[in-house]
Every structure is written in C-alpha cells, then in structure tokens.
C-alpha cells in the first residue's frame, strides 16, 4: 500500500513537471475572449470545457480558478498539475447525470461559494464518464446558484497526441506547439428557462465550437452521441 502511494505521488509530480514544461514551450492564443468585459461589468463566470480538453485547458488556465477533481487515484494524480498552474482543486466527483457521488455534492457547494466569492470555476462538463460531449447537470446548478454566465471554450492544439482508446479521446498538446482557445458568446441564464433547456444550450454551443474549429474530433463526438442515443438527431441547430 505504501509502495503504491509513493508511486502515485511520483507519477503526480512527474505529470506536473510535464505540464510546466508544456506551458514553457507552448504558445497559447485566445479568440473572442469576453472575460475582460465581464470583469469590468462585475459579472461572474464559469468555464464549460470538454473532458478531452482538460490538459490544454490547464495550460491556459486562469489563476485562481476552482476546478472539481475526483477523489479517485486518477484525481489525486492531477492535483499537483492544477496547483502548479494556479488552479484550485476542489475534491469530489459526480455520479452520472448529477453530482451526488464521491463527495460531489460537497464539492459543488464549495465551487458555488468559490464563484460567489468573485473567482471563476471550471467544469469538464461531460465527465466523469461520458458519453463524450454529453453535458451533465452540474454546470447548470453551478450557473444558477452562483448567478454566473457560462463560458463555453474549446482549446485546439496545432500538434497533439490523441488517446484514441480513451472514452473522451483525451488530447495532449505536443511541446512547442500552438494552442488556440475559442470562446463562444457567454451563455446567460434566462428567466423561466428550465435546467434541461440550459443544459442543452451549453451542449449545443460546445458542439458547434468543436464542429467549427476541430471538425475531425467533432465527427468522433457525433458518432459517440449517435451510439448513445440511436435514432436521435444530435446536430446542433
């Protein structure tokens, strides 16, 4: 048990070192970034990112952002990488379709407090187990309770590794590449709108961003959605 703990600790800090190396060698460029205007107007905001984009999102992450991290061993491994980039890990993990498992409810409450306190938060919205591109409900609860707009963003690395056997097709930027972060217009909670309607708007916005800026990966996401919901039209309107 002790040996496993030491090994996990070593892997975690090796991963953090690699993240630091990538940040030193990669160029990050953002497009249609609304954050300066939101800060000027005192508007709270939260990031909605796909699970596949977590590594690139960490590289370009805003310092002080809170991020929900699983209490699993995999979650433990990613914590040093977040901290080294100034991202604040909030431990917990949601069950499929909600945030009730593995401390997810407590973590969500902590994220809400974090945003209300004036700092952004980040959610990998189709995690922790997918299907890829299927937005879970936690982001809608966070947006409503923290009175925050949702910033959908996808980072696209010019050169990258793609873990094709992973459920999310996790993407890892290669050293010395360029990462372009594409923002959509902020999504605001509309009076009278249901949580499901808000969830669908976020899902369709992320799908549209990926289709516009990373069409090859978007095709895989659509195929996954077709398998998960046979006969459904999953194209963004």
């Amino acid at each position: 048990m002790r040996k496993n703990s030491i090994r996990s600790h070593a892997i975690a800090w090796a991963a953090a070192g690699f993240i630091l190396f990538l940040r030193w060698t990669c160029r990050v460029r953002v497009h249609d970034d609304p954050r300066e205007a939101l800060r000027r107007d005192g508007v709270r905001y939260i990031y909605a990112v796909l699970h596949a984009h977590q590594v690139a999102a960490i590289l370009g992450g805003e310092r002080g952002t809170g991020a929900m991290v699983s209490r699993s061993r995999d979650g433990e491994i990613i914590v040093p990488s977040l901290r080294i980039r100034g991202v604040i890990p909030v431990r917990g993990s949601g069950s499929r379709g909600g945030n009730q498992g593995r401390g997810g409810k407590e973590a969500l409450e902590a994220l809400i407090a974090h945003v209300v306190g004036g700092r952004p938060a980040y959610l990998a919205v189709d995690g922790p187990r997918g299907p890829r591109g299927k937005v879970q409900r936690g982001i809608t609860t966070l947006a409503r309770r923290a009175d925050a707009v949702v910033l959908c963003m996808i980072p696209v690395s010019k050169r990258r590794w793609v873990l094709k056997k992973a459920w999310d097709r996790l993407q890892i930027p290669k050293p010395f590449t360029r990462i372009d972060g594409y923002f959509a217009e902020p999504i605001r909670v509309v009076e009278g709108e249901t949580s499901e309607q808000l969830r669908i708007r976020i899902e369709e916005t992320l799908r549209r961003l990926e289709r516009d800026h990373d069409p090859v990966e978007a095709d895989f996401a659509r195929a996954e959605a077709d398998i998960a919901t046979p006969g459904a039209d999953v194209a963004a309107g």
Side-chain angles (χ1 to χ4, degrees), residues 4 107 156:
N4 287 340
V156 181

Side-chain angles (χ1 to χ4, degrees), residues 117-139:
R119 293 178 293 178
Y122 153 95
L123 281 180
V125 292
D126 54 348
R129 294 182 296 275
R132 189 188 190 285
K134 177 70 173 179
V135 172
Q136 305 301 324
R137 294 195 305 267
I139 189 74

Side-chain angles (χ1 to χ4, degrees), residues 163-181:
L163 305 189
K164 297 178 181 179
K165 292 186 178 180
W167 70 265
D168 59 349
R169 291 177 59 87
L170 181 68
Q171 300 172 22
I172 303 173
K174 292 185 177 182
F176 304 99
T177 194
R178 189 184 76 208
I179 302 169
D180 289 283

